[in-house]
Amino acid sequence: MKWTREEYIKHMTFEKTERQMFVELFGPLIRLDEEWREQGATEEEIGMVGFDWDFVPVVNCGGHTGILPAFERRVLEDTPEYTISTDGYGRKVKLSKGYATIPLPLDYPVKTMDDWLKIKPRFEYSEDRIDWAQVERAKQLQKEGVLVLAWMEGGFDLPRELMGEEGACIAYYEDPELMEDILATVADTTYKVLDKISDHLLIDNLCTHEDLAGKSGPLVGPSIIEEFIKPYYRKIWDMLSAKGTKLFSMDSDGNMNPVIDAFLDCGVNIMYPMEPAAGMDIVELRKKYGKKVAFKGGIDKHVLRSSKEEIKKELEYKMQALMQEGGVCFGLDHRIPNGTPLENYKYYIDTAREILGMPPRDKDKCGWARQAF
Amino acid sequence: MAILEEMSALLQKGRAAKVKELVVQALEEGVSPEAILSEGLLSGMSIVGEKFKRNEVFVPEVLVAARAMNAGVELLRPYLVEAGVESKGVAVIGTVKGDLHDIGKNLVKMMLEGKGLEVHDLGVDVSAETFVQKAIEYNAKVICCSALLTTTMGEMKNVVEEAKKAGIRDQVKIMVGGAPITQEFCDQVGADYYTADGASAGDVALKICLGEM
């Protein structure tokens, strides 16, 4: 079912919940389409639209807060096994074909303050960061129930993209002025872009992507977030929330438990995808945090490769009454993994809908949109 | 010994320059290289590893501590060689074929080094054949395989099979880890040990090398 922005915002702010929201956040992992075709999937199912998913349509607000202009992307080497190219950050990146969907950097542009100063102008404010035609388009679509998104760079993620994980982590201690300058620059730019846009258009959802945790815990702890990331987040969120923005969502895989408090203190009020394999339990977190934070995801993707009994057990636990009071978009905790039988996937959807009191899947209703925002 | 306790404490804070100063001072005071290594450097790194396991410190703190440890070890190395102090064992480590992620692998490497092991880092996108060839070349007792992707974790089975093919399966233990890896998967592919975090990997690898596992 297609949700409106009003319904979505009320649901995610615990204001009003007449119906549960059951979504597919990311879609399938690479090569799953081949497996499902062999199992008789329709093209609608391969494209994810054939499962009658819940979704809220979204539109970008028209602001660009990242690197601008991006570096030219060029393919340097293409073999049957991999592709090496340059990306928008000017990095050399490698994609392992058949294994990964995202190319990974082989080098990083920033190692010193001098390196950063060379590319800093690409992160500073300029008028061309706002596409006013897109702002107007978003304004019209918003009237039709479309959710308006504004993306900001991750306070951990951007330095990581520029310096690598280890380079960024070391810089917090050995070159804090560099880290502060990167984040102050992007904070200033983001503030100016979104402040101007939000004078014309109500931004519904501020979004950021951090991906800063592994299975055993986050890469950085609360003190780093408090010192470096919070000033950036609060500068943007305090301005937008004063203008009526209700939702601030953050994407991070892994075990985020040790830094949830720190990010709530930064203003975040929606977290996803809440990965159970890394110890994220949305039921326990709801008991601990109540209505301070909403969740998207939370259902263990790996369970789809086990038995139907295990799938049902996971759904009954995650979808218990406590979790049906709003503030949850139930869904898998990341892409649908390889080895997921189509039959199990359909069982997962049908069983979840039953537990959530939703009507049976309508095979004639086509609908899905990526909900990872 | 007070100077070694101070060295350990400074290492935990990542104070590389001060650690180096204290290594020199300790040598001048006649402290044995082995004691400096085990009671000053490795003990400090071990505490960092335990705190990391409990999510009391995080990657930046581990990295700066590891840098401080390595700075101290580099200074100490000629003295360790002269005194005939050997590493506690040898391990090879890498991220499996098709997978280019390295932060998890690098953390495990630091934890193994913090236990006094000699670690040969094979990098990322490492084939099963390379894992085994290098294990033979370095006479390693442990092969550590890392994977972040569900699409690449299957390569770990190839490492196990390659070790069998090369006839070294009973001479080497294969450890597996990474975001999608579980004990069940470890058992399924016939690897020896799975650990959920880098610090635990260090503990297990040390026990393997000491013949305790």
Side-chain angles (χ1 to χ4, degrees):
Chain A
M1 186 187 103
K2 185 157 96 174
W3 287 48
T4 65
R5 61 176 281 276
E6 292 86 357
E7 289 168 333
Y8 180 78
I9 292 169
K10 282 180 180 172
H11 184 71
M12 295 306 276
T13 53
F14 302 88
E15 199 180 314
K16 191 179 176 190
T17 296
E18 289 174 350
R19 188 180 187 275
Q20 299 305 316
M21 192 169 196
F22 181 43
V23 304
E24 179 59 66
L25 290 178
F26 294 89
L29 199 60
I30 190 168
R31 295 195 304 210
L32 186 66
D33 56 344
E34 296 164 22
E35 295 176 27
W36 278 10
R37 276 199 179 89
E38 284 177 12
Q39 295 165 33
T42 64
E43 284 311 304
E44 286 75 22
E45 288 168 345
I46 295 292
M48 281 288 115
V49 295
F51 297 106
D52 190 12
W53 281 114
D54 284 342
F55 67 98
V56 59
V58 298
V59 62
N60 191 287
C61 70
H64 193 307
T65 56
I67 187 167
L68 190 74
F71 285 89
E72 186 191 354
R73 294 164 194 269
R74 284 179 298 127
V75 174
L76 303 175
E77 190 183 351
D78 191 29
T79 76
E81 289 81 34
Y82 61 84
T83 302
I84 294 178
S85 51
T86 59
D87 73 357
Y89 290 112
R91 307 174 300 192
K92 193 186 279 188
V93 296
K94 182 175 180 180
L95 175 70
S96 294
K97 291 181 182 174
Y99 291 110
T101 50
I102 303 170
L104 289 183
L106 299 175
D107 57 32
Y108 293 95
V110 176
K111 292 181 179 64
T112 64
M113 181 65 95
D114 284 346
D115 295 336
W116 160 242
L117 293 176
K118 281 179 201 157
I119 62 166
K120 181 176 174 177
R122 292 175 187 259
F123 290 91
E124 290 174 330
Y125 178 76
S126 57
E127 294 291 334
D128 59 352
R129 286 185 172 275
I130 301 175
D131 177 349
W132 287 108
Q134 176 66 16
V135 175
E136 276 309 309
R137 184 171 167 264
K139 200 168 179 175
Q140 290 309 311
L141 287 171
Q142 191 173 44
K143 289 175 189 163
E144 296 165 24
V146 176
L147 191 78
V148 176
L149 308 182
W151 284 91
M152 61 182 253
E153 296 288 319
F156 176 82
D157 189 44
L158 177 65
R160 181 237 317 265
E161 296 290 356
L162 298 175
M163 307 167 77
E165 274 164 343
E166 289 187 35
C169 285
I170 286 279
Y172 289 119
Y173 280 89
E174 298 191 352
D175 204 348
E177 293 79 13
L178 170 58
M179 199 58 83
E180 284 165 356
D181 197 53
I182 291 173
L183 292 175
T185 303
V186 76
D188 181 64
T189 298
T190 306
Y191 186 96
K192 286 175 180 163
V193 169
L194 299 184
D195 187 36
K196 282 175 193 277
I197 290 175
S198 58
D199 283 343
H200 297 267
L201 164 70
L202 172 61
I203 290 169
D204 293 319
N205 195 156
L206 176 64
C207 315
T208 193
H209 169 270
E210 292 289 10
D211 257 359
L212 58 70
K215 188 160 60 177
S216 53
L219 295 173
V220 295
S223 62
I224 295 278
I225 292 165
E226 167 84 20
E227 184 179 351
F228 291 92
I229 297 176
K230 184 179 169 185
Y232 164 44
Y233 271 43
R234 291 278 8 163
K235 180 169 182 169
I236 311 306
W237 178 243
D238 288 349
M239 178 270 291
L240 283 180
S241 59
K243 290 180 166 186
T245 303
K246 300 282 189 194
L247 307 177
F248 185 4
S249 53
M250 186 179 66
D251 176 358
S252 187
D253 299 338
N255 177 4
M256 293 288 285
N257 286 316
V259 290
I260 291 177
D261 285 300
F263 277 113
L264 298 190
D265 200 28
C266 290
V268 169
N269 57 23
I270 299 176
M271 296 183 76
Y272 68 99
M274 314 307 289
E275 191 182 356
M280 302 298 284
D281 181 335
I282 56 173
V283 177
E284 289 302 315
L285 291 170
R286 176 53 46 85
K287 287 177 190 166
K288 182 174 178 183
Y289 290 102
K291 296 181 177 178
K292 286 182 188 167
V293 57
F295 306 118
K296 293 166 47 161
I299 298 168
D300 186 0
K301 58 189 171 293
H302 298 298
V303 84
L304 296 185
R305 297 187 291 199
S306 61
S307 65
K308 289 182 177 171
E309 289 71 29
E310 288 297 316
I311 294 172
K312 192 172 184 185
K313 190 175 152 194
E314 168 74 357
L315 292 173
E316 284 176 342
Y317 173 62
K318 295 291 166 61
M319 295 175 168
Q320 58 185 273
L322 171 71
M323 306 306 290
Q324 294 194 26
E325 296 172 0
V328 186
C329 281
F330 295 103
L332 295 182
D333 61 326
H334 213 284
R335 288 176 184 270
I336 312 159
N338 305 106
T340 298
L342 181 61
E343 186 188 339
N344 279 13
Y345 189 67
K346 288 180 181 173
Y347 175 81
Y348 152 72
I349 296 170
D350 293 338
T351 307
R353 292 181 74 106
E354 195 181 322
I355 294 170
L356 295 174
M358 295 163 70
R361 204 154 41 99
D362 185 341
K363 294 180 180 62
D364 295 328
K365 277 191 181 170
C366 286
W368 178 68
R370 188 180 152 97
Q371 299 290 286
F373 55 80
Chain B
M1 205 177 296
I3 191 169
L4 298 183
E5 283 171 18
E6 191 184 350
M7 192 185 297
S8 167
L10 287 165
L11 183 147
Q12 291 169 51
K13 291 179 186 167
R15 303 281 298 276
K18 293 295 285 182
V19 167
K20 283 164 76 174
E21 276 177 28
L22 286 183
V23 168
V24 173
Q25 190 185 326
L27 287 167
E28 285 170 357
E29 289 176 9
V31 183
S32 75
E34 191 168 11
I36 295 172
L37 179 69
S38 62
E39 294 167 41
L41 302 176
L42 299 185
S43 74
M45 198 62 203
S46 184
I47 291 167
V48 172
E50 287 304 312
K51 287 184 176 176
F52 183 57
K53 202 190 293 185
R54 297 194 298 267
N55 277 320
E56 291 172 13
V57 299
F58 300 87
V59 175
E61 293 78 22
V62 173
L63 287 171
V64 293
R67 281 195 169 193
M69 180 188 73
N70 288 336
V73 169
E74 278 310 306
L75 262 181
L76 203 56
R77 197 178 301 282
Y79 299 92
L80 291 169
V81 172
E82 195 181 316
V85 178
E86 293 185 346
S87 74
K88 293 174 181 170
V90 181
V92 295
I93 189 168
T95 306
V96 298
K97 188 178 177 185
D99 202 324
L100 303 173
H101 295 88
D102 66 357
I103 184 78
K105 180 261 297 174
N106 292 349
L107 284 167
V108 173
K109 180 190 170 195
M110 286 172 219
M111 293 300 164
L112 266 61
E113 287 175 338
K115 293 292 177 185
L117 302 180
E118 178 185 326
V119 186
H120 296 272
D121 186 352
L122 310 181
V124 298
D125 194 13
V126 180
S127 69
E129 293 82 359
T130 303
F131 271 110
V132 171
Q133 282 165 10
K134 292 294 175 185
I136 294 168
E137 182 182 333
Y138 296 121
N139 196 23
K141 286 189 175 170
V142 185
I143 295 176
C144 297
C145 303
S146 170
L148 188 86
L149 305 173
T150 52
T151 49
T152 60
M153 59 199 272
E155 288 294 324
M156 291 174 173
K157 187 170 176 57
N158 294 340
V159 177
V160 174
E161 294 305 317
E162 191 64 27
K164 282 182 191 166
K165 209 164 91 184
I168 61 162
R169 189 65 189 90
D170 57 346
Q171 297 153 38
V172 69
K173 297 294 184 191
I174 299 175
M175 294 177 61
V176 293
I181 311 302
T182 59
Q183 183 62 53
E184 188 186 2
F185 177 79
C186 172
D187 298 339
Q188 193 184 319
V189 299
D192 297 299
Y193 299 105
Y194 157 75
T195 54
D197 61 86
S200 302
D203 295 337
V204 169
L206 178 62
K207 283 185 178 172
I208 292 169
C209 290
L210 295 178
E212 295 170 5
M213 281 185 97

